[in-house]
Amino acid sequence: MTLLALGINHRTATVEVREQVAFTPAQLESALTELRGLPEVREAALLSTCNRTELYCVTDTAGEREILDWLGRFHGLAIEDLTRCAYHYLENDAARHLMRVAVGLDSMVLGEPQILGQLKEAYQSARRAHGLGGELECLFQHTFAVAKQVRTRTGIGRNPVSVAYAAVSLASRIFDDFSRSRALLIGAGETIELVARHLHEAGVRQLTVANRTRERAEQLAGTLGGAAITLDEIPEALVRADIVISSTAAPLPLLGKGMVERALRQRRHRPVFMVDIAVPRDIEPEVGELGDVFLYTVDDLEAVIEENRRHRQVAADQAESLIEHGVGGWQHERRLRSGGALIREVRARGEALRDLSRDQALARLARGEDPEEVVRRLAHQLTNRLLHRPTVALRDAASDEQHELLDAAAALLLDEPSDPSP
């Protein structure tokens, strides 16, 4: 049996190719059934995200070409196009790759945590489709344990490495309790949507989204229980806002020094945290001169992000070490499972030969044969049956000068020699 990991990801394939190779949730069950049905595949799991599609299989032989052919057929893609961007790993390298994926070391954003949840969903889908046997079941369980250890013992997921997360992280340095903070988000694009979700996860419940069109603001605010306003209503909203984060495509600043000064007077100079992610800027630089405003720009966030990337790289090095230890642990468990299966087979064969000899002896006794002769014959037959195969194998090994096999047989089959007399 061979463990195989095969796939494409953001490093090897363009987004156009990744889109074509991705599996929708509706396709997963049928895809796993087809994959599991290939003659050489014994177990199978399938991971499909926006950045990667990977197949984890236990095969009779390596079989990467056959599985790649199947992937191309399933999606109607030329095998040559897939071959140019596909990679595969075998055995220990496959286990190592899965563990690196699980902890975010192979992700576009180093250490991102979402991939572990996606991998757990892939594992559950494979279980439901009866794609998992002993090998992949144990590998996934061991991988999840390693991922937990990496998250617990390193800081790989602790420091933000996105603009949206960094903005929220900076806000947390100003406000101890987000649950009492009011946030005003200006814009409704992807970055503001991420900021909104991070703020909501951090505990902010009073959230207002301002946008040029109220409809788009309502779409975003509604998913998080917030309020929607137009850009014209920003001056009134500023009075209530403790956190202001802006990211629009406006050609000129939306928040000037005078507007913010008026809002501060009505707030009785309670501090305001502001982040201007837009380029060109949405907030006049002079706003940062006001005493009760903490204003950060996208450049400030990039500095935070770069510092956090360095912290994550240190953590990534620690994670690599833990993964190597995890691969070693998986290898050990695999050897134990392999030895256990062999032991069960050997015992089953011995018990079958025992039962055969016993039944024959009982039949002779039932026919009235001499009990003493029956016992002698039983012992003779059982010994011959148990030792026949090992004897033939030892003769062949001796003839072929397979000394390692002979030494192993001696260690397994012979009693330890007693210590020589002094």
Side-chain angles (χ1 to χ4, degrees):
M1 293 289 183
T2 301
L3 175 65
L4 166 69
L6 180 149
I8 66 168
N9 65 17
H10 59 281
R11 293 191 181 91
T12 67
T14 63
V15 65
E16 290 78 16
V17 174
R18 298 202 305 273
E19 285 173 344
Q20 295 178 73
V21 180
F23 292 86
T24 66
Q27 291 175 317
L28 275 180
E29 184 176 352
S30 61
L32 283 166
T33 300
E34 283 189 27
L35 181 57
R36 177 66 179 77
L38 295 178
E40 63 275 9
V41 175
R42 293 292 167 262
E43 303 177 36
L46 196 158
L47 172 66
S48 186
T49 73
C50 58
N51 285 328
R52 71 180 65 246
T53 293
E54 293 183 339
L55 313 176
Y56 294 90
C57 303
V58 175
T59 64
D60 287 335
T61 57
E64 57 267 19
R65 178 69 188 194
E66 292 79 2
I67 294 173
L68 199 61
D69 285 342
W70 170 83
L71 185 62
R73 289 195 306 273
F74 191 94
H75 290 293
L77 294 173
I79 188 64
E80 294 78 13
D81 295 337
L82 278 178
T83 301
R84 280 193 291 269
C85 56
Y87 49 81
H88 73 272
Y89 301 97
L90 301 176
E91 297 292 283
N92 295 342
D93 291 335
R96 181 180 296 106
H97 177 73
L98 178 61
M99 293 178 196
R100 296 187 80 254
V101 169
V103 301
L105 292 181
D106 197 58
S107 296
M108 185 179 292
V109 177
L110 181 66
E112 59 93 5
Q114 288 83 6
I115 186 63
L116 181 57
Q118 292 166 333
L119 194 59
K120 289 182 177 180
E121 290 175 4
Y123 162 76
Q124 293 295 344
S125 296
R127 287 195 72 183
R128 287 192 295 270
H130 307 290
L132 300 183
E135 279 292 309
L136 284 184
E137 177 71 38
C138 291
L139 175 61
F140 273 97
Q141 291 297 338
H142 196 84
T143 295
F144 297 148
V146 170
K148 182 178 180 180
Q149 186 180 45
V150 169
R151 292 285 168 183
T152 302
R153 295 176 57 180
T154 75
I156 194 164
R158 231 168 270 153
N159 301 295
V161 289
S162 71
V163 168
Y165 202 110
V168 176
S169 177
L170 281 174
S172 68
R173 301 180 186 180
I174 309 299
F175 301 97
D176 294 330
D177 185 2
F178 270 148
S179 66
R180 294 185 294 178
S181 301
R182 299 169 182 258
L184 169 63
L185 306 183
I186 305 174
E190 182 179 347
T191 299
I192 287 296
E193 183 174 355
L194 285 173
V195 168
R197 297 193 183 282
H198 288 316
L199 284 171
H200 190 266
E201 290 170 2
V204 174
R205 294 296 176 264
Q206 301 179 73
L207 191 148
T208 301
V209 178
N211 193 51
R212 183 175 55 84
T213 60
R214 185 184 292 271
E215 292 76 15
R216 174 63 186 130
E218 287 175 344
Q219 289 176 4
L220 174 54
T223 61
L224 301 173
I229 62 173
T230 63
L231 298 182
D232 294 336
E233 299 173 84
I234 286 177
E236 296 176 12
L238 270 179
V239 177
R240 300 184 297 274
D242 305 303
I243 300 169
V244 179
I245 301 178
S246 185
S247 178
T248 75
L252 296 172
L254 299 175
L255 275 68
K257 185 177 181 181
M259 180 193 298
V260 176
E261 274 186 311
R262 289 189 291 274
L264 286 174
R265 283 196 293 270
Q266 295 182 62
R267 289 174 55 82
R268 298 184 180 179
H269 296 280
R270 294 196 314 276
V272 180
F273 170 81
M274 293 186 171
V275 181
D276 188 353
I277 303 175
V279 178
R281 286 180 280 191
D282 284 339
I283 304 175
E284 287 183 349
E286 290 77 13
V287 170
E289 300 171 2
L290 298 173
D292 298 302
V293 174
F294 298 88
L295 175 62
Y296 295 87
T297 67
V298 69
D299 289 341
D300 297 321
L301 296 184
E302 285 297 338
V304 172
I305 291 168
E306 184 54 39
E307 179 185 356
N308 289 345
R309 281 199 189 103
R310 288 194 295 270
H311 287 309
R312 282 204 174 186
Q313 188 55 57
V314 172
D317 294 339
Q318 296 170 340
E320 295 282 13
S321 177
L322 290 172
I323 285 172
E324 285 305 310
H325 187 267
V327 171
W330 172 76
Q331 287 177 299
H332 178 68
E333 289 181 4
R334 198 184 195 196
R335 286 193 294 267
L336 289 178
R337 290 196 306 275
S338 175
L342 178 60
I343 289 169
R344 287 191 293 274
E345 288 182 18
V346 169
R347 290 190 66 87
R349 178 176 175 272
E351 288 168 359
L353 294 175
R354 174 203 65 195
D355 293 345
L356 175 61
S357 297
R358 178 201 63 203
D359 292 343
Q360 289 175 341
L362 290 173
R364 291 189 184 96
L365 288 172
R367 290 195 298 267
E369 293 185 21
D370 179 36
E372 186 174 337
E373 180 59 30
V374 170
V375 170
R376 287 195 182 96
R377 190 168 182 179
L378 169 63
H380 179 73
Q381 283 184 334
L382 187 56
T383 301
N384 284 343
R385 285 168 173 167
L386 288 173
L387 295 181
H388 173 69
R389 286 189 184 180
T391 300
V392 172
L394 286 171
R395 284 174 180 165
D396 291 341
S399 176
D400 296 337
E401 296 185 347
Q402 298 180 44
H403 300 296
E404 289 186 1
L405 180 55
L406 291 170
D407 290 342
L412 287 170
L413 301 175
L414 300 179
D415 293 333
E416 291 185 4
S418 58
D419 293 335
S421 301

